[in-house]
Amino acid sequence: MKRIVVLTSGGDAPGMNPAIRAVVRSAIYHGMEVYGAYHGYHGLMNGDLLRMDLGSVGDIIHRGGTMLYSARSEEFKTAAGRERAMEVCHQHGIEGLVVIGGDGSFRGAHALAELGLHTVGIPGTIDNDIAGTDFTIGFHTAVNTVLDAIDKIRDTATSHERTYVIETMGRNAGDIALWAGLAGGAETIIIPEKQEPFEQIIERLLHGHKRGKKHSIIIVAEGVGKGDDFAKRIQEETGFETRVTVLGYIQRGGSPTAYDRVLASRLGGYAVQLLMEGKSDVMVGIQQNQLMVTPFLQSFEDVHQIDDSMYELAKILSI
Ligand code: F6P
């Protein structure tokens, strides 16, 4: 493998920059040439490429976002779009692709592998919703961002003796809500993977109130519905003054935590190693702190599981 291209695709996540840095520097170290494609697959299809050297990835290890920009491309989902991407690769002598992104990005990489390009995926999304890895790049930082918000909201919740509903991102996955909720001492965590009857949630809130709790924090993952709707129902059924905060895109930004930088660096180096070994159509991941390889097709079939015991523990600790 002499020449590869790296791109970031889908929703950005803190840690994508250190992942790009690790891919570029590892590849150059091993004697390869590296291109970066701007705006994900869109840039690859249009030949919007940057020839990268060691200095191109200097001073980005601590920055959120992605220096290569990111996009979701509808055109790339068509056969014609993918053929165009392959043509660009042929024109530039590119034999390998590293894609940093989520499930949708990996489906694109799988399609290109079927057309003959060597592809490796690095899981980069705040959602932590990819099978084949315990953690995705960006998740850890997003949880810390949510936690910081919970701590701040707790201050005002205490002062005003109110109930607060905090809506988190995560698409169809509840990991951000679960981890931040457990770390932030939330009374209730509502996530798509666990359907707790609403009456039970109300019962727990009333029980807490009876034993002297003056305020409550409820985390709602976006995958179960709108925080606003939950807040209205809670106020109606408990009579507690309830406010809502939708955290939104702040969860996607910020300087990556040490964990995310280390994870990104390890996965980036490993992705390059796999390309050198001739591997393709696979994603890299981390399981119990070991670097792992999973075929894309396997990761599409499997479902990332939340840790049930954490969910139960959060309930016990909020009595
Ligand atoms: O996948 C990351 C994510 O931030 C999800 O948590 C969220 O549902 C979605 O992206 C938002 O996507 P967009 O950037 O297209 O609004």
Side-chain angles (χ1 to χ4, degrees):
M1 179 106 1
K2 284 269 167 286
R3 200 170 289 161
I4 66 169
V5 61
V6 57
L7 60 84
T8 48
S9 160
D12 65 344
M16 282 183 161
N17 275 330
I20 296 168
R21 172 179 178 271
V23 170
V24 170
R25 294 222 170 139
S26 304
I28 292 173
Y29 174 84
H30 290 293
M32 291 183 226
E33 291 177 5
V34 191
Y35 282 96
Y38 283 120
H39 303 108
Y41 290 114
H42 183 79
L44 188 61
M45 281 184 309
N46 293 295
D48 192 5
L49 305 177
L50 167 75
R51 177 69 197 279
M52 300 183 89
D53 59 23
L54 295 173
S56 329
V57 289
D59 210 22
I60 63 166
I61 196 165
H62 61 303
R63 292 185 203 280
T66 159
M67 67 163 287
L68 291 174
Y69 305 98
S70 194
R72 306 187 204 273
S73 168
E74 284 307 312
E75 198 186 345
F76 181 72
K77 290 184 184 154
T78 65
R82 284 163 176 169
E83 289 295 345
R84 258 178 68 194
M86 287 304 288
E87 266 168 41
V88 169
C89 289
H90 288 145
Q91 280 161 13
H92 290 80
I94 291 167
E95 301 159 292
L97 164 71
V98 177
V99 175
I100 306 162
D103 179 79
S105 313
F106 288 179
R107 286 177 194 274
H110 168 64
L112 291 182
E114 290 200 314
L115 295 176
L117 192 68
H118 280 69
T119 64
V120 176
I122 298 179
T125 163
I126 61 166
D127 300 338
N128 208 33
D129 60 348
I130 298 182
T133 189
D134 292 343
F135 298 110
T136 56
I137 296 168
F139 168 69
H140 193 262
T141 308
V143 168
N144 276 289
T145 300
V146 174
L147 183 59
D148 182 51
I150 294 174
D151 289 348
K152 286 177 172 143
I153 287 169
R154 181 181 284 282
D155 288 345
T156 179
T158 314
S159 308
H160 288 268
E161 302 186 346
R162 281 174 179 158
T163 297
Y164 273 84
V165 170
I166 302 174
E167 182 190 308
T168 59
M169 275 188 169
R171 205 178 287 274
N172 300 314
D175 251 352
I176 296 178
L178 176 59
W179 280 68
L182 181 57
E187 269 62 37
T188 291
I189 301 168
I190 309 177
I191 54 177
E193 295 87 344
K194 296 277 173 190
Q195 299 294 345
E196 185 182 16
F198 196 68
E199 306 76 62
Q200 266 179 37
I201 295 171
I202 297 296
E203 234 170 69
R204 239 195 350 271
L205 286 173
L206 292 172
H207 174 81
H209 190 74
K210 239 189 236 156
R211 79 139 178 88
K213 279 195 186 186
K214 298 266 188 275
H215 63 269
S216 294
I217 289 176
I218 295 149
I219 312 292
V220 175
E222 65 173 350
V224 291
K226 296 245 167 281
D228 262 327
D229 298 337
F230 280 94
K232 268 186 209 126
R233 283 178 73 188
I234 287 167
Q235 179 153 324
E236 270 163 26
E237 295 193 30
T238 60
F240 303 157
E241 190 179 11
T242 306
R243 295 283 195 268
V244 60
T245 299
V246 179
L247 294 180
Y249 291 93
I250 63 162
Q251 293 161 95
R252 290 237 297 253
S255 177
T257 58
Y259 183 86
D260 272 332
R261 295 184 203 190
V262 171
L263 180 64
S265 303
R266 290 178 75 187
L267 294 182
Y270 193 39
V272 169
Q273 186 189 318
L274 291 177
L275 282 178
M276 285 185 338
E277 290 168 6
K279 300 260 179 10
S280 179
D281 210 7
V282 295
M283 61 164 277
V284 291
I286 192 155
Q287 291 173 23
Q288 294 174 351
N289 205 29
Q290 299 298 311
L291 296 178
M292 304 292 286
V293 192
T294 306
F296 281 136
L297 282 177
Q298 183 71 48
S299 80
F300 302 151
E301 265 174 36
D302 297 346
V303 176
H304 180 88
Q305 305 289 343
I306 61 146
D307 186 329
D308 287 345
S309 68
M310 277 176 57
Y311 179 78
E312 295 307 326
L313 180 65
K315 268 193 195 168
I316 292 169
L317 300 185
S318 68
I319 50 174

mmCIF file of all heavy atoms in Angstrom, residues 72 125-127 169-171 222 249 252, ligand 1:
data_model
loop_
_atom_site.group_PDB
_atom_site.id
_atom_site.type_symbol
_atom_site.label_atom_id
_atom_site.label_comp_id
_atom_site.label_asym_id
_atom_site.label_seq_id
_atom_site.Cartn_x
_atom_site.Cartn_y
_atom_site.Cartn_z
ATOM 1 N N ARG A 72 -22.890 14.807 5.178
ATOM 2 C CA ARG A 72 -23.645 13.593 4.858
ATOM 3 C C ARG A 72 -24.015 13.739 3.386
ATOM 4 O O ARG A 72 -24.701 14.681 3.013
ATOM 5 C CB ARG A 72 -24.896 13.491 5.715
ATOM 6 C CG ARG A 72 -24.641 13.596 7.235
ATOM 7 C CD ARG A 72 -25.919 13.312 8.014
ATOM 8 N NE ARG A 72 -25.926 13.899 9.345
ATOM 9 C CZ ARG A 72 -25.437 13.318 10.435
ATOM 10 N NH1 ARG A 72 -24.887 12.146 10.358
ATOM 11 N NH2 ARG A 72 -25.512 13.922 11.612
ATOM 12 N N THR A 125 -18.188 9.025 16.661
ATOM 13 C CA THR A 125 -19.526 9.613 16.851
ATOM 14 C C THR A 125 -19.747 9.761 18.349
ATOM 15 O O THR A 125 -19.317 8.898 19.123
ATOM 16 C CB THR A 125 -20.647 8.741 16.251
ATOM 17 O OG1 THR A 125 -21.906 9.161 16.814
ATOM 18 C CG2 THR A 125 -20.490 7.253 16.547
ATOM 19 N N ILE A 126 -20.446 10.827 18.724
ATOM 20 C CA ILE A 126 -20.706 10.996 20.163
ATOM 21 C C ILE A 126 -21.699 9.960 20.673
ATOM 22 O O ILE A 126 -21.810 9.740 21.873
ATOM 23 C CB ILE A 126 -21.234 12.414 20.483
ATOM 24 C CG1 ILE A 126 -22.569 12.688 19.766
ATOM 25 C CG2 ILE A 126 -20.201 13.471 20.194
ATOM 26 C CD1 ILE A 126 -23.307 13.923 20.302
ATOM 27 N N ASP A 127 -22.444 9.296 19.771
ATOM 28 C CA ASP A 127 -23.586 8.470 20.180
ATOM 29 C C ASP A 127 -23.213 7.151 20.878
ATOM 30 O O ASP A 127 -24.036 6.563 21.562
ATOM 31 C CB ASP A 127 -24.471 8.154 18.975
ATOM 32 C CG ASP A 127 -25.024 9.409 18.318
ATOM 33 O OD1 ASP A 127 -25.078 10.448 19.001
ATOM 34 O OD2 ASP A 127 -25.387 9.348 17.134
ATOM 35 N N MET A 169 -28.497 14.248 23.302
ATOM 36 C CA MET A 169 -28.443 13.641 21.960
ATOM 37 C C MET A 169 -28.167 12.143 22.073
ATOM 38 O O MET A 169 -28.139 11.590 23.174
ATOM 39 C CB MET A 169 -27.341 14.300 21.136
ATOM 40 C CG MET A 169 -27.781 15.557 20.438
ATOM 41 S SD MET A 169 -26.466 16.102 19.318
ATOM 42 C CE MET A 169 -27.347 17.350 18.402
ATOM 43 N N GLY A 170 -27.936 11.510 20.937
ATOM 44 C CA GLY A 170 -27.620 10.080 20.930
ATOM 45 C C GLY A 170 -28.359 9.324 19.847
ATOM 46 O O GLY A 170 -28.258 8.106 19.770
ATOM 47 N N ARG A 171 -29.143 10.045 19.062
ATOM 48 C CA ARG A 171 -29.965 9.423 18.011
ATOM 49 C C ARG A 171 -30.831 8.323 18.629
ATOM 50 O O ARG A 171 -31.609 8.630 19.519
ATOM 51 C CB ARG A 171 -29.060 8.864 16.910
ATOM 52 C CG ARG A 171 -29.750 8.762 15.558
ATOM 53 C CD ARG A 171 -28.789 8.245 14.529
ATOM 54 N NE ARG A 171 -27.797 9.231 14.156
ATOM 55 C CZ ARG A 171 -27.969 10.147 13.215
ATOM 56 N NH1 ARG A 171 -29.083 10.187 12.552
ATOM 57 N NH2 ARG A 171 -27.012 11.013 12.927
ATOM 58 N N GLU A 222 -32.737 11.762 23.372
ATOM 59 C CA GLU A 222 -33.591 12.229 22.262
ATOM 60 C C GLU A 222 -34.323 11.076 21.568
ATOM 61 O O GLU A 222 -35.389 11.270 20.998
ATOM 62 C CB GLU A 222 -32.788 13.036 21.238
ATOM 63 C CG GLU A 222 -31.723 12.219 20.502
ATOM 64 C CD GLU A 222 -31.034 12.994 19.370
ATOM 65 O OE1 GLU A 222 -31.489 14.088 19.016
ATOM 66 O OE2 GLU A 222 -30.023 12.474 18.866
ATOM 67 N N TYR A 249 -26.400 20.886 20.228
ATOM 68 C CA TYR A 249 -25.111 20.696 19.552
ATOM 69 C C TYR A 249 -23.887 21.004 20.410
ATOM 70 O O TYR A 249 -22.774 20.713 19.974
ATOM 71 C CB TYR A 249 -25.088 21.510 18.254
ATOM 72 C CG TYR A 249 -26.039 20.908 17.254
ATOM 73 C CD1 TYR A 249 -27.351 21.348 17.160
ATOM 74 C CD2 TYR A 249 -25.649 19.839 16.457
ATOM 75 C CE1 TYR A 249 -28.245 20.759 16.287
ATOM 76 C CE2 TYR A 249 -26.528 19.238 15.581
ATOM 77 C CZ TYR A 249 -27.828 19.703 15.495
ATOM 78 O OH TYR A 249 -28.708 19.094 14.648
ATOM 79 N N ARG A 252 -21.593 18.146 20.690
ATOM 80 C CA ARG A 252 -20.705 17.696 19.610
ATOM 81 C C ARG A 252 -19.378 18.455 19.583
ATOM 82 O O ARG A 252 -18.488 18.106 18.807
ATOM 83 C CB ARG A 252 -21.425 17.864 18.265
ATOM 84 C CG ARG A 252 -22.556 16.902 18.059
ATOM 85 C CD ARG A 252 -22.386 16.069 16.803
ATOM 86 N NE ARG A 252 -22.388 16.844 15.603
ATOM 87 C CZ ARG A 252 -23.400 16.879 14.722
ATOM 88 N NH1 ARG A 252 -24.485 16.161 14.945
ATOM 89 N NH2 ARG A 252 -23.308 17.583 13.638
HETATM 90 O O1 F6P B 1 -24.833 11.209 15.336
HETATM 91 C C1 F6P B 1 -24.505 12.358 16.036
HETATM 92 C C2 F6P B 1 -25.722 13.228 16.220
HETATM 93 O O2 F6P B 1 -25.329 14.404 16.912
HETATM 94 C C3 F6P B 1 -26.908 12.581 16.913
HETATM 95 O O3 F6P B 1 -26.734 12.524 18.310
HETATM 96 C C4 F6P B 1 -28.042 13.459 16.465
HETATM 97 O O4 F6P B 1 -29.264 12.783 16.511
HETATM 98 C C5 F6P B 1 -27.646 13.792 15.051
HETATM 99 O O5 F6P B 1 -26.238 13.616 14.971
HETATM 100 C C6 F6P B 1 -27.974 15.179 14.577
HETATM 101 O O6 F6P B 1 -27.637 15.246 13.235
HETATM 102 P P1 F6P B 1 -27.491 16.573 12.375
HETATM 103 O O7 F6P B 1 -26.096 17.078 12.565
HETATM 104 O O8 F6P B 1 -27.718 16.108 10.974
HETATM 105 O O9 F6P B 1 -28.518 17.526 12.881
#
